[in-house]
Amino acid sequence: MCGIALLASGIRIDLSSLHIDSISPSSKTHLGFSFNDLKAALQRRGPDSLGTKKLLLLHSNNSNSGNSWVSSVNEEAHVLENGSNLSESFAELVFLGATLQLRGVTPVIQPLVDSSGNILVYNGELFGGIEVGSDNNDTEILMQSLGKCCSQEHRTTYNFNGHGKGSVPDVLSVIKGPWAIIYWQESSKTLWFGRDAFGRRSLLVHWPTMEDPRFLLSSVSPTSSSLQDFEVENGTSGIKFWEELSCGIYTMSLDATKSDGKFLGEMQKHEWTNVMLKELIEWERVSIEPKPEELNFSRSKTLSAELDMTSASLVSVLAQNVLTALRESMMRRVSLHSIYQAVKFGARQKETVPVAVLFSGGLDSMILAALLDECLDPDYEIDLLNVSFDGESAPDRISAKAGIKELRRVAPLRRWRLVHIDADLSKLTWETKHVLSLINPADTYMDLNIGIALWLAARGEGWICEESSNRIDEDKHVNYTSRARILLVGSGADEQCAGYGRHRTKYKHESWLGLHEEMKLDMQRIWKRNLGRDDRCIADHGKEARFPFLDEDVIRTLLDIPLWEVADLDQPSGKGDKKILREVAQMLGLHDAAILPKRAIQFGSRIARESNRKNFGSNRAANQASAGSVVINVPSYFS
């Protein structure tokens, strides 16, 4: 996990190919944040190291120079706060990288610069597609792979296979895992940037305007700019300074000859080159509408399994495929040889908890906890992080306490630690303002409520029940802060397995095809509605969110299953929704969790109830106002 950013000044940028209006007057207000503000925001994400590199582009007086301009890389010294005063005779690109190192055995400081002058800042993991040795850091391996790439103009005609030459899109298209990247390719004088096809890592963009002509990329919005951005949103045009960068691979190709000696940057978006990845993005399922006999057979199998849960012969082959894919996904994400902090001192730190679970005790988090137990060395404890805004009475707290009992039954040798994270919304004024900066450009009460709950969970400050003599004293509370640097989150389960109430509504009105289209829509917009926001809130504590349900192989496995085997929404809640995952839970011995209904974090933790009372007077008034989608009015929120 890293915080990455780019500040580009002195470049006239052509956005026509992206269908974005550049330099549009009075569209956005210039927001005041300093370079130090940006560094501070990034270093909260990457507390292990912070580095900067400045690429200076200068016109050359050498007539033999092919491009009539040269570039040089320097350690950052002084950065102009607003590019509008930059001389037209040169341009600068400032790269920033703050690192939370989770792989490799030696420290790595970003940005990386290779012998060819290429520059890389990378926020991601290589879980497949490009081989990473057990002692290697994935950013360094990626830099080597990118360094072998030819320029886009001279790309080869065959797809990159992880070893030979190819284009930058070839390399990025084969990566399995979450990523966001900013990469300067010196040979072609091209800036590459983008994020993975599902948007599992945040990357924000500021397109140049009259008020602020810089081109900016950042993992997160600096705090000092964010509240201003909300005020601009509520007070004028509704166009924000920062936007979520759409998933994909982009370039800014620089040229100093097409604009009377001024530097011109031409933006372009590139196609993914991996056929299998394109299929996942299109999210098409072969079998959507069942024949009557297929649906009857599926339901008869489900009924038989319910009557005889112990019968191995009744185990669904399809559910077994999902379980296998999820188990492999978990192993890729928690294998100890790839967790830097567990090996950097030369010996395993058994008192360290390397991985924690965002835990409600619901179906998704119970599956993740059980799989983590299977994949993580039994010497390590596992923290289960549970947030409540209603003490022991919140639904998620009740289900979490029931869930840990079931986990102790199926995995009695593991030391499970339920971390009770209690909060009072009325006392979180500073925290709320801070989370507002993290969710930006998301701006609704629902975004804020979810963001606060995730931020508190990632912080990990709460209490646990005392353990002594192999016994847990429920009455003795001990303050505790989880130090786990990897946090497992269940994102993607509801979108892929019809877990939301709107899925049931869509199915009721438009049957199987309507359900499929709604699920497809959810998967294709998850980057904008969920993942960027969630990544920013969790990473703010120097923690990395990992999403086992959004592993490429898990997505492929679920798409290969007929829709009526994934979900059967003619059945009641807690049975037909996420049917395939309920079968997986049964296989893991989680019989109680397998029948739990869906409950979103904002409702299960009861932060939505407290927010509704604070901002709308009551839950009823909030429901009438459709509070979840209402844009936050910052001045009135804190009045």
Side-chain angles (χ1 to χ4, degrees):
M1 169 61 69
C2 302
I4 64 175
L6 169 84
L7 294 83
S9 303
I11 303 169
R12 179 182 296 174
I13 296 179
D14 177 7
L15 298 173
S16 59
S17 67
L18 302 183
H19 305 292
I20 297 172
D21 291 330
S22 178
I23 315 298
S24 53
S26 303
S27 62
K28 305 176 186 180
T29 299
H30 172 66
L31 298 180
F33 66 88
S34 70
F35 188 60
N36 287 334
D37 291 333
L38 181 58
K39 289 198 294 185
L42 296 175
Q43 195 154 27
R44 290 180 66 90
R45 296 173 58 92
D48 294 339
S49 65
L50 173 68
T52 61
K53 290 289 188 296
K54 179 190 289 186
L55 178 68
L56 197 61
L57 308 177
L58 299 165
H59 284 282
S60 172
N61 293 323
N62 184 357
S63 60
N64 295 323
S65 175
N67 277 320
S68 75
W69 53 288
V70 295
S71 59
S72 62
V73 180
N74 302 292
E75 297 292 335
E76 180 273 321
H78 173 68
V79 176
L80 295 175
E81 300 296 350
N82 188 326
S84 60
N85 296 321
L86 194 65
S87 168
E88 292 179 349
S89 64
F90 69 94
E92 67 176 20
L93 284 77
V94 179
F95 299 79
L96 299 91
T99 303
L100 171 73
Q101 187 159 347
L102 295 173
R103 297 182 79 166
V105 295
T106 56
V108 172
I109 299 176
Q110 297 197 55
L112 300 185
V113 182
D114 67 14
S115 59
S116 299
N118 302 314
I119 306 172
L120 172 66
V121 284
Y122 180 69
N123 174 26
E125 300 287 347
L126 300 181
F127 292 135
I130 299 175
E131 184 177 349
V132 181
S134 60
D135 293 336
N136 296 131
N137 176 268
D138 43 11
T139 303
E140 293 179 319
I141 296 299
L142 179 60
M143 182 62 152
Q144 295 172 17
S145 296
L146 291 170
K148 298 174 183 177
C149 291
C150 58
S151 66
Q152 182 69 11
E153 292 78 6
H154 301 93
R155 62 172 297 181
T156 52
T157 58
Y158 59 91
N159 283 340
F160 175 79
N161 60 10
H163 301 286
K165 285 187 177 182
S167 69
V168 172
D170 291 333
V171 175
L172 298 180
S173 293
V174 300
I175 294 176
K176 290 185 176 181
W179 57 265
I181 190 172
I182 306 169
Y183 177 66
W184 172 257
Q185 188 179 42
E186 174 65 18
S187 62
S188 63
K189 297 295 189 288
T190 299
L191 180 77
W192 295 85
F193 60 98
R195 58 197 294 210
D196 74 76
F198 302 101
R200 292 164 291 187
R201 289 291 173 261
S202 170
L203 193 59
L204 304 180
V205 60
H206 165 69
W207 305 111
T209 64
M210 289 291 291
E211 292 81 4
D212 191 335
R214 295 174 297 177
F215 169 61
L216 308 177
L217 294 167
S218 178
S219 298
V220 64
S221 168
T223 302
S224 64
S225 73
S226 303
L227 292 182
Q228 296 177 59
D229 209 356
F230 276 99
E231 291 165 0
V232 170
E233 166 80 16
N234 283 277
T236 57
S237 65
I239 301 175
K240 286 182 158 293
F241 183 87
W242 294 105
E243 299 175 16
E244 292 268 8
L245 181 69
S246 300
C247 300
I249 304 169
Y250 301 79
T251 52
M252 180 172 71
S253 301
L254 295 185
D255 198 315
T257 62
K258 296 181 181 179
S259 184
D260 299 326
K262 299 175 183 178
F263 286 97
L264 177 67
E266 183 179 355
M267 291 286 184
Q268 183 179 354
K269 189 172 184 179
H270 299 263
E271 294 291 326
W272 302 101
T273 62
N274 185 310
V275 174
M276 290 183 288
L277 179 60
K278 286 182 177 180
E279 291 176 353
L280 296 186
I281 296 169
E282 292 168 358
W283 214 78
E284 291 297 341
R285 191 185 302 274
V286 175
S287 301
I288 297 174
E289 297 186 84
K291 299 176 182 178
E293 59 269 24
E294 291 173 324
L295 188 57
N296 290 335
F297 179 67
S298 174
R299 288 173 177 170
S300 66
K301 284 193 306 177
T302 301
L303 179 60
S304 298
E306 289 172 355
L307 294 174
D308 186 5
M309 289 188 229
T310 61
S311 175
S313 63
L314 296 174
V315 171
S316 166
V317 174
L318 298 176
Q320 183 61 59
N321 292 342
V322 175
L323 176 56
T324 299
L326 281 170
R327 187 178 284 122
E328 292 173 352
S329 169
M330 181 67 71
M331 185 63 74
R332 283 190 282 271
R333 282 156 177 78
V334 303
S335 178
L336 282 182
H337 78 261
S338 66
I339 299 179
Y340 171 77
Q341 293 300 322
V343 299
K344 74 174 189 176
F345 298 110
R348 189 163 51 197
Q349 308 294 302
K350 292 189 177 181
E351 70 277 10
T352 299
V353 178
V355 188
V357 181
L358 179 61
F359 190 72
S360 67
L363 175 65
D364 307 336
S365 63
M366 286 290 287
I367 289 174
L368 293 183
L371 289 173
L372 177 58
D373 171 68
E374 291 185 3
C375 298
L376 189 64
D377 189 302
D379 290 336
Y380 289 93
E381 300 174 358
I382 294 176
D383 285 348
L384 307 173
L385 308 176
N386 180 264
V387 178
S388 172
F389 287 80
D390 194 18
E392 300 302 283
S393 300
D396 276 4
R397 179 61 54 81
I398 294 170
S399 58
K401 293 172 75 172
I404 196 172
K405 290 180 180 179
E406 186 163 39
L407 289 170
R408 286 174 176 145
R409 176 179 58 77
V410 300
L413 299 181
R414 175 72 64 184
R415 287 191 65 196
W416 300 97
R417 181 184 283 133
L418 180 61
V419 184
H420 305 67
I421 301 168
D422 295 330
D424 182 343
L425 187 60
S426 65
K427 298 179 180 178
L428 297 178
T429 301
W430 178 88
E431 292 85 350
T432 299
K433 289 182 178 179
H434 185 66
V435 173
L436 273 171
S437 76
L438 297 174
I439 67 171
N440 187 31
D443 58 5
T444 69
Y445 284 100
M446 182 179 70
D447 290 313
L448 179 59
N449 291 338
I450 294 172
I452 291 173
L454 291 175
W455 187 86
L456 291 171
R459 186 171 65 174
E461 293 181 4
W463 57 272
I464 59 174
C465 296
E466 180 82 290
E467 290 189 41
S468 59
S469 303
N470 297 321
R471 179 179 172 276
I472 300 172
D473 186 351
E474 296 283 354
D475 297 323
K476 190 168 184 180
H477 300 172
V478 178
N479 290 337
Y480 176 78
T481 299
S482 175
R483 301 300 178 190
R485 299 186 120 198
I486 296 171
L487 179 57
L488 299 177
V489 186
S491 301
D494 291 307
E495 288 81 0
Q496 296 182 82
C497 300
Y500 290 123
R502 62 178 174 271
H503 293 144
R504 189 173 292 275
T505 301
K506 197 65 150 180
Y507 174 74
K508 180 180 179 180
H509 293 292
E510 300 181 27
S511 193
W512 294 100
L513 185 59
L515 173 61
H516 169 73
E517 291 300 324
E518 187 72 12
M519 295 167 68
K520 178 179 179 178
L521 176 63
D522 279 343
M523 281 298 290
Q524 292 181 339
R525 66 185 179 184
I526 192 173
W527 63 273
K528 188 172 186 178
R529 289 170 63 97
N530 302 77
L531 296 179
R533 174 200 66 204
D534 297 353
D535 174 75
R536 293 189 293 276
C537 291
I538 291 171
D540 190 58
H541 296 289
K543 308 289 179 74
E544 177 171 288
R546 294 187 177 177
F547 310 106
F549 289 107
L550 289 172
D551 180 90
E552 287 83 354
D553 292 345
V554 172
I555 297 172
R556 177 74 272 164
T557 299
L558 287 169
L559 280 174
D560 286 341
I561 298 174
L563 181 54
W564 60 92
E565 296 287 3
V566 173
D568 182 0
L569 300 186
D570 285 325
Q571 304 301 313
S573 176
K575 182 178 179 180
D577 52 312
K578 299 199 283 192
K579 170 187 169 184
I580 194 75
L581 292 184
R582 297 183 188 283
E583 294 179 17
V584 168
Q586 294 284 6
M587 292 179 183
L588 292 168
L590 305 173
H591 305 305
D592 294 336
I595 59 174
L596 290 175
K598 160 70 181 176
R599 191 167 49 236
I601 187 173
Q602 66 269 34
F603 303 117
S605 67
R606 286 199 169 150
I607 186 175
R609 186 188 71 175
E610 299 307 305
S611 173
N612 289 344
R613 290 173 175 174
K614 177 183 187 307
N615 298 296
F616 296 90
S618 68
N619 270 322
R620 175 177 293 183
N623 291 335
Q624 291 174 343
S626 300
S629 60
V630 173
V631 172
I632 302 161
N633 187 300
V634 172
S636 64
Y637 189 96
F638 295 104
S639 61

